[in-house]
PDB file of all heavy atoms in Angstrom:
ATOM      1  N   HIS A 240      47.174  90.006   8.009  1.00 96.00           N
ATOM      2  CA  HIS A 240      48.367  89.889   7.165  1.00 96.00           C
ATOM      3  C   HIS A 240      48.023  90.186   5.709  1.00 96.00           C
ATOM      4  O   HIS A 240      48.734  90.912   5.028  1.00 96.00           O
ATOM      5  CB  HIS A 240      48.937  88.466   7.243  1.00 96.00           C
ATOM      6  CG  HIS A 240      49.536  88.118   8.583  1.00 96.00           C
ATOM      7  ND1 HIS A 240      50.171  89.043   9.366  1.00 96.00           N
ATOM      8  CD2 HIS A 240      49.603  86.945   9.261  1.00 96.00           C
ATOM      9  CE1 HIS A 240      50.595  88.448  10.473  1.00 96.00           C
ATOM     10  NE2 HIS A 240      50.246  87.182  10.440  1.00 96.00           N
ATOM     11  N   TYR A 258      62.101 106.401  -5.336  1.00 93.00           N
ATOM     12  CA  TYR A 258      62.552 107.420  -4.371  1.00 93.00           C
ATOM     13  C   TYR A 258      64.040 107.240  -4.071  1.00 93.00           C
ATOM     14  O   TYR A 258      64.809 108.206  -4.049  1.00 93.00           O
ATOM     15  CB  TYR A 258      61.707 107.241  -3.105  1.00 93.00           C
ATOM     16  CG  TYR A 258      61.926 108.244  -2.004  1.00 93.00           C
ATOM     17  CD1 TYR A 258      61.505 109.549  -2.143  1.00 93.00           C
ATOM     18  CD2 TYR A 258      62.516 107.855  -0.796  1.00 93.00           C
ATOM     19  CE1 TYR A 258      61.665 110.468  -1.128  1.00 93.00           C
ATOM     20  CE2 TYR A 258      62.683 108.760   0.229  1.00 93.00           C
ATOM     21  CZ  TYR A 258      62.259 110.062   0.060  1.00 93.00           C
ATOM     22  OH  TYR A 258      62.420 110.962   1.089  1.00 93.00           O
ATOM     23  N   GLU A 267      72.471 112.776  -3.966  1.00 85.00           N
ATOM     24  CA  GLU A 267      71.930 113.662  -2.943  1.00 85.00           C
ATOM     25  C   GLU A 267      72.754 113.622  -1.658  1.00 85.00           C
ATOM     26  O   GLU A 267      73.043 112.560  -1.120  1.00 85.00           O
ATOM     27  CB  GLU A 267      70.497 113.213  -2.646  1.00 85.00           C
ATOM     28  CG  GLU A 267      69.710 114.160  -1.807  1.00 85.00           C
ATOM     29  CD  GLU A 267      68.360 113.562  -1.445  1.00 85.00           C
ATOM     30  OE1 GLU A 267      68.025 112.465  -1.948  1.00 85.00           O
ATOM     31  OE2 GLU A 267      67.646 114.181  -0.669  1.00 85.00           O
ATOM     32  N   GLU A 326      59.858  94.311  27.525  1.00 39.00           N
ATOM     33  CA  GLU A 326      59.495  93.398  28.588  1.00 39.00           C
ATOM     34  C   GLU A 326      60.803  93.022  29.241  1.00 39.00           C
ATOM     35  O   GLU A 326      61.593  92.258  28.752  1.00 39.00           O
ATOM     36  CB  GLU A 326      58.712  92.187  28.114  1.00 39.00           C
ATOM     37  CG  GLU A 326      59.218  91.568  26.837  1.00 39.00           C
ATOM     38  CD  GLU A 326      60.597  91.005  26.973  1.00 39.00           C
ATOM     39  OE1 GLU A 326      60.762  90.063  27.748  1.00 39.00           O
ATOM     40  OE2 GLU A 326      61.524  91.501  26.312  1.00 39.00           O
ATOM     41  N   VAL A 327      61.006  93.722  30.314  1.00 38.00           N
ATOM     42  CA  VAL A 327      62.299  93.672  30.934  1.00 38.00           C
ATOM     43  C   VAL A 327      62.550  92.310  31.536  1.00 38.00           C
ATOM     44  O   VAL A 327      63.659  91.831  31.609  1.00 38.00           O
ATOM     45  CB  VAL A 327      62.350  94.728  32.023  1.00 38.00           C
ATOM     46  CG1 VAL A 327      63.755  94.982  32.445  1.00 38.00           C
ATOM     47  CG2 VAL A 327      61.712  95.991  31.540  1.00 38.00           C
TER      48      VAL A 327
ATOM     49  N   ASP B 200      58.687 110.466   1.843  1.00 89.00           N
ATOM     50  CA  ASP B 200      59.356 111.578   2.486  1.00 89.00           C
ATOM     51  C   ASP B 200      58.869 111.817   3.904  1.00 89.00           C
ATOM     52  O   ASP B 200      59.621 112.280   4.753  1.00 89.00           O
ATOM     53  CB  ASP B 200      59.141 112.843   1.660  1.00 89.00           C
ATOM     54  CG  ASP B 200      60.466 113.481   1.364  1.00 89.00           C
ATOM     55  OD1 ASP B 200      61.282 112.825   0.703  1.00 89.00           O
ATOM     56  OD2 ASP B 200      60.684 114.601   1.847  1.00 89.00           O
ATOM     57  N   ARG B 227      68.896  95.728  35.259  1.00 82.00           N
ATOM     58  CA  ARG B 227      69.633  94.468  35.323  1.00 82.00           C
ATOM     59  C   ARG B 227      70.815  94.543  36.273  1.00 82.00           C
ATOM     60  O   ARG B 227      71.303  93.527  36.737  1.00 82.00           O
ATOM     61  CB  ARG B 227      70.152  94.092  33.936  1.00 82.00           C
ATOM     62  CG  ARG B 227      69.068  93.832  32.942  1.00 82.00           C
ATOM     63  CD  ARG B 227      68.742  92.367  32.909  1.00 82.00           C
ATOM     64  NE  ARG B 227      67.592  92.150  32.034  1.00 82.00           N
ATOM     65  CZ  ARG B 227      66.990  90.997  31.883  1.00 82.00           C
ATOM     66  NH1 ARG B 227      67.392  89.960  32.546  1.00 82.00           N
ATOM     67  NH2 ARG B 227      65.977  90.887  31.076  1.00 82.00           N
ATOM     68  N   ARG B 493      63.391  96.021  20.015  1.00 90.00           N
ATOM     69  CA  ARG B 493      62.007  95.619  19.835  1.00 90.00           C
ATOM     70  C   ARG B 493      61.071  96.784  20.159  1.00 90.00           C
ATOM     71  O   ARG B 493      60.176  97.108  19.389  1.00 90.00           O
ATOM     72  CB  ARG B 493      61.714  94.431  20.746  1.00 90.00           C
ATOM     73  CG  ARG B 493      60.425  93.774  20.476  1.00 90.00           C
ATOM     74  CD  ARG B 493      60.364  92.418  21.111  1.00 90.00           C
ATOM     75  NE  ARG B 493      60.892  92.428  22.459  1.00 90.00           N
ATOM     76  CZ  ARG B 493      61.751  91.539  22.918  1.00 90.00           C
ATOM     77  NH1 ARG B 493      62.172  90.565  22.158  1.00 90.00           N
ATOM     78  NH2 ARG B 493      62.198  91.612  24.145  1.00 90.00           N
ATOM     79  N   GLY B 700      67.880 117.336  -0.914  1.00 37.00           N
ATOM     80  CA  GLY B 700      67.521 116.536   0.253  1.00 37.00           C
ATOM     81  C   GLY B 700      66.475 117.162   1.131  1.00 37.00           C
ATOM     82  O   GLY B 700      66.146 116.642   2.178  1.00 37.00           O
TER      83      GLY B 700
END
Side-chain angles (χ1 to χ4, degrees):
Chain A
H240 291 327
Y258 184 71
E267 191 186 354
E326 42 64 64
V327 195
Chain B
D200 233 62
R227 296 267 174 186
R493 191 164 43 227

